[in-house]
């Protein structure tokens, strides 16, 4: 079984999760930035990671990739990082938007965890006229230092279980 772990990152947090996932899986495996992926030919399973970005949806390169016709029907597991805390009610809606962006693939699992929101982005969001943006920007403090060792361990275990389930 050949597995690809690929990701989009702006500030490095999704890369940390990608590395944990890569570490958690055994067998023939590859780790690549999404920009370097030409095709999913030859992979039995692909982990695709991205941060939630503007308009509460997947970072654009990932959304575009997941909609490529040649990706349709392929087994894909998503890993998502977000600045908002896990208990922010809107997070469920954003995660559903992310899953919907992957509606063409065979979705075999979804992992998510917090990734520290940059100070620069927080300042910008606190000035937003959209009160939802302001509300979650205020949850930034809970994300400082994320993804932490516990989140990365969770990612490792999830990846291992996801690959195990495909093998069995
Ligand atoms: C332009 C931009 C938009 C963002 N929008 C959201 C958002 O809508 N919801 C959210 O929870 N986090 C949002 N974030 C926070 C990122 O998802 C989070 O910090 C993520 O872990 C960053 O991952 P990266 O370091 O791999 O780029 C946004 C960050 C940026 C830079």
């Amino acid at each position: 079984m050949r597995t690809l772990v690929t990701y989009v990152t702006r500030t490095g947090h999704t890369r940390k999760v990608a590395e944990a996932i890569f570490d958690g899986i055994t067998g023939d495996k590859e780790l690549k930035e999404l920009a370097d992926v030409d095709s999913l030919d030859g992979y039995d399973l692909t982990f695709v990671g991205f941060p939630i970005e503007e308009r509460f949806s997947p970072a654009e390169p990932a959304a575009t990739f997941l909609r490529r016709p040649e990706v349709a029907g392929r087994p894909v597991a998503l890993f998502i990082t977000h600045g908002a805390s896990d208990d922010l009610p809107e997070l469920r809606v954003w995660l559903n938007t992310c899953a919907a962006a992957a509606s063409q693939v065979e979705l075999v699992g979804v992992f998510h965890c917090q990734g520290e929101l940059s100070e620069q982005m927080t300042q910008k969001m606190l000035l937003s006229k959209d009160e939802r943006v302001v509300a979650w920007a205020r949850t930034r403090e809970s994300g400082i230092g994320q993804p932490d060792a516990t989140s990365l361990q969770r990612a490792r275990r999830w990846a291992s279980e996801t690959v195990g389930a495909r093998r069995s």
Side-chain angles (χ1 to χ4, degrees):
M1 171 144 166
R2 194 156 173 242
T3 308
L4 173 66
V5 181
T6 186
Y7 60 92
V8 174
T9 190
R10 192 189 289 251
T11 53
H13 303 310
T14 312
R15 178 183 298 117
K16 283 190 191 165
V17 180
E19 288 168 353
I21 285 171
F22 187 70
D23 191 40
I25 61 183
T26 53
D28 191 2
K29 56 182 182 177
E30 258 184 90
L31 176 65
K32 276 188 191 179
E33 288 213 30
L34 190 63
D36 298 329
V37 174
D38 296 323
S39 151
L40 296 187
D41 287 349
Y43 298 108
D44 303 296
L45 175 61
T46 305
F47 289 84
V48 178
F50 52 83
I52 294 183
E53 288 202 341
E54 267 151 318
R55 286 174 288 120
F56 319 119
S57 26
E60 188 45 42
T64 301
F65 178 80
L66 290 166
R67 292 196 177 102
R68 272 166 50 175
E70 63 274 25
V71 174
R74 307 262 189 174
V76 168
L78 300 181
F79 57 103
I80 303 166
T81 68
H82 46 83
S85 62
D86 282 341
D87 57 3
L88 187 77
E90 290 89 334
L91 181 61
R92 302 289 126 203
V93 178
W94 303 345
L95 292 171
N96 285 341
T97 306
C98 293
S103 61
Q104 292 193 69
V105 303
E106 182 198 345
L107 191 60
V108 300
V110 179
F111 173 87
H112 72 92
C113 68
Q114 226 175 337
E116 184 174 324
L117 180 65
S118 69
E119 180 64 44
Q120 195 189 8
M121 200 57 207
T122 308
Q123 292 311 325
K124 199 174 148 194
M125 286 177 166
L126 287 173
L127 297 174
S128 170
K129 290 197 169 63
D130 185 337
E131 62 191 37
R132 293 168 312 161
V133 173
V134 176
W136 81 253
R138 288 206 180 105
T139 72
R140 173 178 193 258
E141 214 159 299
S142 66
I144 291 177
Q146 295 290 350
D148 63 6
T150 307
S151 295
L152 296 176
Q153 183 52 31
R154 217 162 38 83
R156 244 177 242 115
R157 198 177 326 116
W158 168 75
S160 161
E161 287 167 5
T162 303
V163 170
R166 290 300 291 180
R167 281 207 183 101
S168 56

